[in-house]
Amino acid sequence: MLPLPPPPASPIPPSPLLQAQKQTNPLPPPPASPIPPSPLLQAQKQTKLHSLDQIIISKYAQNQGLVPDAAANHESRKSEKQPMLRPPQARRTNPLIWCCAIVCLIFSLILIFFGIATLIMFLVVRPRIPLFDIPNAKLNTIYFDSPEYFNGDFALLANFSNPNRKIDVRFEYLQMELYFSDRLIATQSLDPFTQRPREGRLEAVHLVSSLVYLPENHAVALRTQVQNNRVDYNIRGTFRVRASLGLIHFSYWLHSRCQLQMTGPPTGVLVARSCRTKR
């Protein structure tokens, strides 16, 4: 481009007053005009902004679409894990079960009744076992046919008493045994009998020993006691007793032990005794 020619000089000269004002108050220079951006840069910026907006909008739309899908998947998993609850169906009980339950109930009531009755009986009646004692005894004979075979004759009076006030007792089985040390030398059974409350009974028992074998040490000990005029015998009694209180009956076994000290035969008498009875 060709440079422009300078402007022509003004024909009217400026006044001295205006020139003096310009010299005293000079005008500020005009502001510098900003350099306008080129159209190419503006177009690039606009395209970048548009692309960023599109990316943000597309991501937001994807997130909004993923959230309902995840929620739907979670609900479906819950429904798979938790099966549908069905209302319980009413089932009829087997009649056999009812019969067994009734039988068990009746049996339990019977046990309770007998338990209460037994407790009342023991608290009110307070049953006691019968007593056994030997108030008198006589040693008639002791002799040896040989060093080891023994013969003897022994008689005693057994006393049975019922200490209960309201209970009857019956001795159904009675067995008496005579021992020297730990050797059985005679035995005798008694007939059954019944006792009323507070009743006593005396039974004569005759125990005979015939050719009873005794070991040598026992035979020597018996001969020594006869010579010393003190013979120690043991009586063991075994009894089966049945107690009755009205319609209630119960049975038990009794075991009696008595230690007797006698003088020597033929007129041996009872010197001392000790008896105890237990169930």
Side-chain angles (χ1 to χ4, degrees):
M1 295 179 64
L2 297 175
L4 295 176
S10 175
I12 304 170
S15 64
L17 182 60
L18 291 174
Q19 290 180 358
Q21 289 179 355
K22 286 182 179 181
Q23 291 177 0
T24 56
N25 295 320
L27 295 174
S33 62
I35 300 172
S38 63
L40 181 59
L41 293 175
Q42 290 182 359
Q44 289 178 357
K45 288 182 179 180
Q46 289 179 358
T47 55
K48 286 182 179 180
L49 290 174
H50 286 301
S51 62
L52 289 174
D53 292 340
Q54 290 177 357
I55 291 170
I56 292 171
I57 292 170
S58 63
K59 286 186 176 180
Y60 180 75
Q62 289 178 0
N63 292 334
Q64 290 294 327
L66 288 174
V67 170
D69 293 341
N73 292 334
H74 186 65
E75 292 295 334
S76 63
R77 288 177 184 173
K78 277 188 177 179
S79 62
E80 290 177 359
K81 291 181 180 178
Q82 297 179 356
M84 296 295 291
L85 295 177
R86 296 179 181 179
Q89 296 179 358
R91 297 182 181 178
R92 296 184 60 185
T93 306
N94 193 345
L96 183 61
I97 296 177
W98 282 108
C99 293
C100 293
I102 292 172
V103 171
C104 292
L105 177 62
I106 294 173
F107 184 71
S108 302
L109 292 176
I110 292 173
L111 287 180
I112 293 171
F113 171 76
F114 277 103
I116 294 174
T118 304
L119 180 62
I120 292 173
M121 183 185 69
F122 274 91
L123 292 177
V124 175
V125 180
R126 295 181 180 179
R128 299 170 59 186
I129 61 174
L131 301 177
F132 173 77
D133 190 20
I134 300 176
N136 195 7
K138 185 177 181 182
L139 181 57
N140 299 316
T141 304
I142 290 178
Y143 68 93
F144 288 86
D145 285 340
S146 64
E148 296 179 347
Y149 287 93
F150 156 77
N151 296 278
D153 187 346
F154 181 73
L156 61 88
L157 189 65
N159 181 22
F160 299 91
S161 59
N162 178 14
N164 296 286
R165 294 177 299 176
K166 298 181 180 180
I167 298 177
D168 297 338
V169 296
R170 176 173 176 79
F171 287 83
E172 298 178 338
Y173 174 85
L174 300 95
Q175 182 75 25
M176 305 286 291
E177 297 173 342
L178 177 62
Y179 283 81
F180 176 74
S181 295
D182 56 348
R183 300 292 297 186
L184 177 65
I185 58 177
T187 181
Q188 180 68 42
S189 297
L190 301 179
D191 295 331
F193 59 89
T194 302
Q195 283 186 311
R196 300 296 178 184
R198 300 285 187 173
E199 184 180 356
R201 183 185 180 93
L202 295 175
E203 288 283 339
V205 182
H206 191 197
L207 297 164
V208 178
S209 303
S210 178
L211 295 176
V212 177
Y213 172 77
L214 286 178
E216 183 179 357
N217 57 340
H218 288 77
V220 172
L222 182 57
R223 287 193 183 97
T224 303
Q225 290 184 8
V226 171
Q227 293 175 1
N228 295 331
N229 200 27
R230 287 291 183 272
V231 179
D232 295 329
Y233 275 168
N234 293 322
I235 296 293
R236 298 181 184 180
T238 304
F239 317 114
R240 180 174 176 82
V241 181
R242 183 184 182 187
S244 301
L245 177 62
L247 299 177
I248 301 174
H249 307 278
F250 56 95
S251 300
Y252 51 89
W253 287 90
L254 289 180
H255 303 278
S256 296
R257 301 289 184 269
C258 289
Q259 294 179 355
L260 307 177
Q261 190 175 62
M262 309 291 298
T263 58
T267 57
V269 295
L270 181 63
V271 178
R273 72 181 187 276
S274 174
C275 296
R276 58 187 177 86
T277 303
K278 63 180 181 178
R279 296 179 63 174

